[in-house]
Amino acid sequence: MSFTRRKFIQNAALVAAGSLLIPRHLVATPYVAKPKHVLILGAGFAGLAAAYALHKQKIPFTILEARNRIGGRVHSFAPKEADGLVVELGAEWIGLSHERVLALCEEFKLPLLNNQFKTHVLYQGKYTGRDSYKFSEEWQPKWNQIMKAYAADDKKLSSAQMEKKYGQMDWWRFLVNNGCADRDLDFRELGDSTDFGESIRQVSALAALGEYYENEKYNAEAAGNGRMQTSNQMDYKIVGGNGKLAGVLADTIGRSNIRIGSKVITVEQGEKVKISSESGETFTGDKLICTVPTFALRQINWKPGLPASLRNAIDELQYGRINKHPVLFSKRFWKDEDFDMLTDMPAHYFYHATKSQSGDKGILISYTIGDKAAVVGNNAANDAWNLSMINDALQPAFGDISKLAEKQWNYYWGNDQFSKGAYAIYGPGQWKRVLNAFQLPHLHTHFAGEHLADWQGFMEGAIETGEAAVEAILQKVIKK
């Protein structure tokens, strides 16, 4: 994210006297004591990263995970019908700038696959082939000016001023006000909405500007240094599935320290933290790191109750509705391994989910967002309806492909019982106010998760905040 957004997060952390995102280079106080036991809610990447940081400090911990698996919103799926192919039903991409994920993959010797694509387009019935769509000559200079103006403001304005100037407006309205219209506006909506999981009418302009500016800045620097350029942080995934990283972290920290199927009912904080689970078990620790998404967070009975600002933030923050619909085909009729396609049809966006995996068969995922995702997700069991929708979108480019389809699956994150969405979305007016509420610890509890990161929806943000929560806990300890 842009320097201003990262600077705001750091300032909020310092004001909070040891909250979550204090950068490592600002930590000056040595660790003089260690908690005897830390409880962690959630075995997603934030919880596993926090546990790994504690493990390296030799601090005992217990992870409580309500799901019957580890990984949280990382969910690698290897259907038996697919001859060893693996797809991601959850978090998909690792970006070139995702330093912590890349470092962990290197540490644990997890190889990566290039997961960049060359985009095809279907718009108003017309198919445009591989990477040939361009924005209009009128729009590109306007976009360049937007990026230039944002870069200048990023250097001279405070975080509060940036929030006031950009954060009160949605991304769609900002684009319209800056001359984006007609076909260009349609394509910004279709493409950008896949980044956020909802229509860009619901996304803060500050959130969108920060993300796209950072990508362009990274690519400009990469081009100058001869490095690989990012495809909007859609660059890699882990060979064998992103869940491999969850697995190796769990093995390293000890799976006996992870209690899956342990749904937390009550958190009591006095001299220590006491947690009661749905099964009737209780757990006690000195500190708590809570990494669960806000929908699960609000189901917990907190004693004493959460501060009003945090409770309001939990109630207010929304998560993007994303539906992933993998379809197994008997052959890869799309031919290009790096195939993806953006459409204005109900199927919305396709990508080759088994790119660079060997075999004749292949899986395309239809990736829908917002209202489209809700429609597809709620009709997931109707294979005939789904295949008809998918065939309608692919037919202009490839003809009737329905006879090549062998099997379909579906995962609608909008109906996920723990998150009710894929990842957090900061809307107009929310960035500074809502995020600031999540930054503050509550008694012995520190919070983490992608919703606290400078970018939402990436494994990188979950890992960063999990690690930072441990740093904050250790920094606040006073020698007895």
Side-chain angles (χ1 to χ4, degrees):
M1 192 50 64
S2 73
F3 173 74
T4 298
R5 289 187 68 192
R6 188 175 288 276
K7 180 171 64 179
F8 162 71
I9 293 172
Q10 293 171 359
N11 290 343
L14 291 169
V15 169
S19 60
L20 298 183
L21 295 175
I22 301 174
R24 289 172 176 78
H25 69 274
L26 295 181
V27 177
T29 304
Y31 300 154
V32 294
K34 296 178 181 179
K36 294 180 180 179
H37 197 92
V38 176
L39 300 173
I40 301 171
L41 302 190
F45 273 35
L48 292 170
Y52 185 45
L54 292 167
H55 170 78
K56 288 188 287 188
Q57 293 289 335
K58 295 182 171 52
I59 298 173
F61 60 86
T62 300
I63 303 178
L64 304 177
E65 169 56 56
R67 299 181 192 272
N68 61 3
R69 60 175 179 82
I70 62 171
R73 282 166 282 161
V74 176
H75 190 187
S76 300
F77 177 56
K80 63 180 185 298
E81 299 91 342
D83 297 340
L85 299 175
V86 180
V87 299
E88 304 298 334
L89 297 181
E92 182 88 29
W93 280 281
I94 299 168
L96 279 164
S97 68
H98 296 179
E99 297 177 359
R100 289 305 303 137
V101 179
L102 294 174
L104 287 170
C105 288
E106 183 176 0
E107 178 182 350
F108 292 114
K109 296 180 172 51
L110 296 174
L112 300 171
L113 287 172
N114 180 289
N115 206 31
Q116 294 178 328
F117 296 96
K118 299 291 185 182
T119 301
H120 302 232
V121 170
L122 179 69
Y123 177 68
Q124 294 184 351
K126 181 180 178 182
Y127 166 69
T128 305
R130 175 187 169 94
D131 232 16
S132 59
Y133 173 80
K134 304 294 181 186
F135 284 104
S136 71
E137 294 182 2
E138 294 78 16
W139 170 241
Q140 193 59 52
K142 294 175 183 177
W143 176 254
N144 294 340
Q145 184 56 40
I146 288 170
M147 291 291 100
K148 183 179 178 180
Y150 182 86
D153 286 341
D154 195 38
K155 292 179 180 178
K156 69 183 180 182
L157 298 183
S158 68
S159 59
Q161 289 171 322
M162 290 289 282
E163 172 75 15
K164 183 176 181 180
K165 182 170 183 177
Y166 296 109
Q168 306 305 308
M169 187 180 299
D170 67 75
W171 183 224
W172 184 89
R173 175 53 61 187
F174 180 89
L175 290 169
V176 170
N177 291 354
N178 283 274
C180 191
D182 304 324
R183 193 167 181 261
D184 293 321
L185 184 60
D186 283 349
F187 271 89
R188 293 281 351 173
E189 171 70 72
L190 289 171
D192 295 358
S193 64
T194 64
D195 294 331
F196 298 103
E198 291 285 347
S199 166
I200 61 175
R201 295 171 185 253
Q202 298 186 39
V203 177
S204 162
L206 179 61
L209 279 164
E211 180 167 334
Y212 296 133
Y213 169 66
E214 185 70 14
N215 285 330
E216 295 210 359
K217 185 172 70 171
Y218 181 94
N219 281 339
E221 294 171 353
N225 294 318
R227 299 197 312 266
M228 179 178 170
Q229 293 186 323
T230 183
S231 179
N232 198 23
Q233 304 304 320
M234 297 164 63
D235 302 314
Y236 297 119
K237 67 179 177 182
I238 297 171
V239 173
N242 293 331
K244 291 283 188 180
L245 180 53
V248 73
L249 284 170
D251 290 339
T252 302
I253 65 177
R255 289 183 181 259
S256 61
N257 294 312
I258 306 172
R259 304 292 296 270
I260 64 171
S262 294
K263 184 178 180 180
V264 171
I265 301 300
T266 302
V267 172
E268 300 180 61
Q269 298 189 83
E271 289 188 9
K272 291 183 175 292
V273 181
K274 180 181 177 182
I275 290 178
S276 302
S277 70
E278 191 174 56
S279 66
E281 292 182 286
T282 59
F283 304 87
T284 303
D286 303 302
K287 298 291 180 181
L288 171 64
I289 298 175
C290 180
T291 74
V292 301
T294 57
F295 183 81
L297 184 56
R298 75 185 307 272
Q299 309 304 313
I300 297 171
N301 180 19
W302 292 82
K303 298 179 180 181
L306 298 174
S309 60
L310 178 56
R311 188 75 200 189
N312 291 339
I314 293 168
D315 290 344
E316 185 176 337
L317 188 64
Q318 293 196 52
Y319 283 50
R321 294 169 294 171
I322 289 175
N323 189 87
K324 285 191 166 187
H325 191 86
V327 184
L328 175 66
F329 292 97
S330 58
K331 68 177 182 178
R332 302 182 184 189
F333 59 83
W334 51 91
K335 296 182 181 179
D336 297 327
E337 282 293 290
D338 58 1
F339 168 80
D340 73 352
M341 187 164 79
L342 189 64
T343 84
D344 59 355
M345 302 286 282
H348 196 101
Y349 172 60
F350 293 95
Y351 64 93
H352 179 198
T354 50
K355 178 187 176 184
S356 300
Q357 298 181 45
S358 61
D360 295 326
K361 295 181 179 183
I363 295 176
L364 291 183
I365 282 183
S366 169
Y367 181 105
T368 49
I369 61 94
D371 292 341
K372 293 178 184 177
V375 172
V376 176
N378 290 325
N379 288 277
N382 191 338
D383 280 356
W385 181 85
N386 275 288
L387 186 57
S388 175
M389 176 187 65
I390 289 163
N391 191 49
D392 286 346
L394 293 171
Q395 191 164 17
F398 303 106
D400 187 346
I401 51 81
S402 60
K403 291 183 173 56
L404 300 176
E406 293 188 351
K407 184 74 175 177
Q408 302 177 60
W409 302 269
N410 200 83
Y411 200 88
Y412 176 40
W413 285 95
N415 281 344
D416 183 87
Q417 63 174 311
F418 301 107
S419 65
K420 296 298 181 183
Y423 46 80
I425 302 170
Y426 281 88
Q430 287 188 325
W431 177 253
K432 183 175 181 179
R433 175 176 50 79
V434 173
L435 184 61
N436 188 51
F438 288 117
Q439 299 290 340
L440 302 172
H442 175 51
L443 301 176
H444 300 301
T445 301
H446 293 256
F447 298 93
E450 58 82 23
H451 57 293
L452 277 79
D454 53 357
W455 283 2
Q456 280 62 61
F458 287 108
M459 294 173 279
E460 176 77 359
I463 289 170
E464 282 185 343
T465 60
E467 294 173 338
V470 174
E471 284 191 4
I473 285 174
L474 295 177
Q475 190 180 26
K476 288 187 69 177
V477 170
I478 300 173
K479 192 171 184 178
K480 299 288 185 180

